[in-house]
Amino acid sequence: MELNYYQLLGVSPLASNEEIKSAFKKLAKKYHPDKNPGNVQYEEYFKKINEAYQTLSDSHKRSVYDFKLKYYTTNTQYSTYTTNATSYSRTGNTGYRPPKKKNKRKKTMYTPVYKRSTLIKFYIFSITFVLFLSFGGYWFYKFMNKYAAEQLYKEGLALENIQDYKGAMIKYTEAIAYMEELPQPYARRAQLRMKFYHDYAGACKDFEKAIQLGAQSSFELFFNKAKCGIQLKKYDIALKDLEAAIQIDPLSDSANFYKAEVLNFALNNYTEAINEYSKVIEINPDFEDAWFGRAISKQSIRNYAGSIDDFTHLLSITDDKGHIYYYRAFSKLGISDTLGACNDFALSLLNGFQEAEKPSQLLCIPFNTNSLHSNSTTLSKP
């Protein structure tokens, strides 16, 4: 009987990841091909234990393997039982075997026409019946798998509601093992991977699978997949997903904003970023981060006047002003307004943004900092 992965590593099916890792290390030291050169048997055995470790050390692969192992073991036991039962019934202890009848072939010159038509009908009926059973059995099998998958999916949602995210992950994985064509478990598992486990690569794969299977709320799937792509620094792929999300919902300020952020801070495409920030501001005029991002992008292409305008407008709609004064000061330096820049550095310090202290000391030596704090004619808020 072929050993399963747990038996190969010599651990319990309930073993922890540390126990599995420790068992693999011990076996690897003994059977590694480098320590047994030329020993084909050791080399083959090492491949098996390595395959077992790769499967059991991955939580997703392990849960799927455990399910398949359980299913295989149950079916194997049933098959063995039925085979033994059949064998016993044929060679039982009854002590009696009916004598074989001699097969006497009837010598007939031809088969009557009515018998041939009856045989043809019988064959047609038999073939039709077998096909019906085959398709019916396959349909019933698919139906039961879908039913089981949907039930496991509902159990996963219930576990999510009580914040048992690990249990929910297992239920979604089991649902996928029953029916790989069901998109909802992929989408929910991807959300958990991204939000709680920071497994962005795995989440991207699950989001992609859910999209391929045509899950509902495809905007959310594309948008969340783009977020994973940004975390993985796959900006070109993230942009494509954001564009797909925007096509579905053109008035989504969040998708347009993320696109602008990627263009600005990741790809340094400031001109396109300004266009995207402008779309966000048109959709939502109170989107503070969009005003700030557009001001920074304008500053990056030395459009200091436009940058100052955006920072000034942002100061009128936000309560967090310290960092805005700080960045506006640099735009004022860009137009050689040193006094205005020192004024903004001082205001930035007054609003608790300590990073303004160093440039204020370096650039504003000709100005008395104390007087800047007290003289309202020198320091005038915009």
Side-chain angles (χ1 to χ4, degrees), residues 122-172:
F122 174 75
Y123 292 144
I124 293 174
F125 174 79
S126 299
I127 294 171
T128 304
F129 183 72
V130 170
L131 290 174
F132 174 78
L133 285 180
S134 300
F135 284 111
Y138 176 76
W139 177 86
F140 182 74
Y141 170 79
K142 296 290 287 184
F143 172 79
M144 292 304 297
N145 276 3
K146 183 179 179 182
Y147 176 79
E150 289 174 345
Q151 293 302 310
L152 289 166
Y153 172 69
K154 291 178 181 178
E155 292 176 15
L157 292 176
L159 291 173
E160 268 197 76
N161 289 333
I162 61 173
Q163 299 182 353
D164 183 2
Y165 302 118
K166 184 177 180 180
M169 284 274 289
I170 293 173
K171 292 297 181 182
Y172 295 143

Side-chain angles (χ1 to χ4, degrees), residues 140-370:
F140 182 74
Y141 170 79
K142 296 290 287 184
F143 172 79
M144 292 304 297
N145 276 3
K146 183 179 179 182
Y147 176 79
E150 289 174 345
Q151 293 302 310
L152 289 166
Y153 172 69
K154 291 178 181 178
E155 292 176 15
L157 292 176
L159 291 173
E160 268 197 76
N161 289 333
I162 61 173
Q163 299 182 353
D164 183 2
Y165 302 118
K166 184 177 180 180
M169 284 274 289
I170 293 173
K171 292 297 181 182
Y172 295 143
T173 302
E174 290 176 350
I176 291 169
Y178 268 105
M179 188 175 185
E180 295 182 353
E181 296 82 10
L182 196 65
Q184 289 84 358
Y186 287 105
R188 293 308 310 165
R189 189 173 70 175
Q191 290 277 7
L192 295 179
R193 280 179 159 178
M194 179 179 69
K195 186 175 181 180
F196 298 103
Y197 297 98
H198 306 296
D199 177 15
Y200 300 110
C204 269
K205 292 180 181 178
D206 279 351
F207 280 130
E208 180 65 28
K209 190 68 176 178
I211 291 169
Q212 290 176 357
L213 294 172
Q216 295 179 353
S217 302
S218 54
F219 169 83
E220 293 295 331
L221 295 177
F222 279 114
F223 184 52
N224 286 321
K225 183 171 177 285
K227 289 182 180 179
C228 292
I230 293 171
Q231 292 293 334
L232 297 171
K233 297 183 178 180
K234 296 181 178 180
Y235 301 117
D236 292 338
I237 297 175
L239 278 179
K240 291 180 180 178
D241 289 329
L242 287 170
E243 288 168 359
I246 292 169
Q247 286 182 356
I248 297 170
D249 185 4
L251 297 180
S252 169
D253 54 358
S254 55
N256 282 283
F257 175 74
Y258 268 85
K259 183 180 178 182
E261 292 282 279
V262 171
L263 291 168
N264 184 10
F265 296 104
L267 302 179
N268 300 328
N269 189 345
Y270 305 117
T271 304
E272 288 297 322
I274 291 171
N275 293 334
E276 293 301 323
Y277 283 127
S278 298
K279 292 178 183 177
V280 178
I281 292 170
E282 185 178 351
I283 296 169
N284 183 2
D286 295 326
F287 203 128
E288 297 178 9
D289 289 338
W291 283 99
F292 182 79
R294 190 171 75 170
I296 292 295
S297 297
K298 289 179 178 180
Q299 192 179 77
S300 299
I301 62 173
R302 300 183 180 181
N303 180 5
Y304 298 117
S307 177
I308 290 171
D309 289 341
D310 282 349
F311 282 131
T312 303
H313 177 79
L314 183 56
L315 286 168
S316 68
I317 63 174
T318 185
D319 296 326
D320 187 11
K321 302 178 185 296
H323 69 290
I324 301 171
Y325 283 119
Y326 175 78
Y327 285 103
R328 191 177 71 168
F330 286 106
S331 291
K332 288 185 176 181
L333 287 174
I335 60 173
S336 301
D337 182 6
T338 307
L339 180 61
C342 288
N343 182 40
D344 277 352
F345 282 134
L347 287 170
S348 179
L349 285 169
L350 286 174
N351 282 273
F353 196 71
Q354 297 303 316
E355 291 183 31
E357 183 175 358
K358 187 173 181 180
S360 177
Q361 291 175 351
L362 291 174
L363 298 171
C364 303
I365 293 175
F367 306 97
N368 189 333
T369 306
N370 293 327

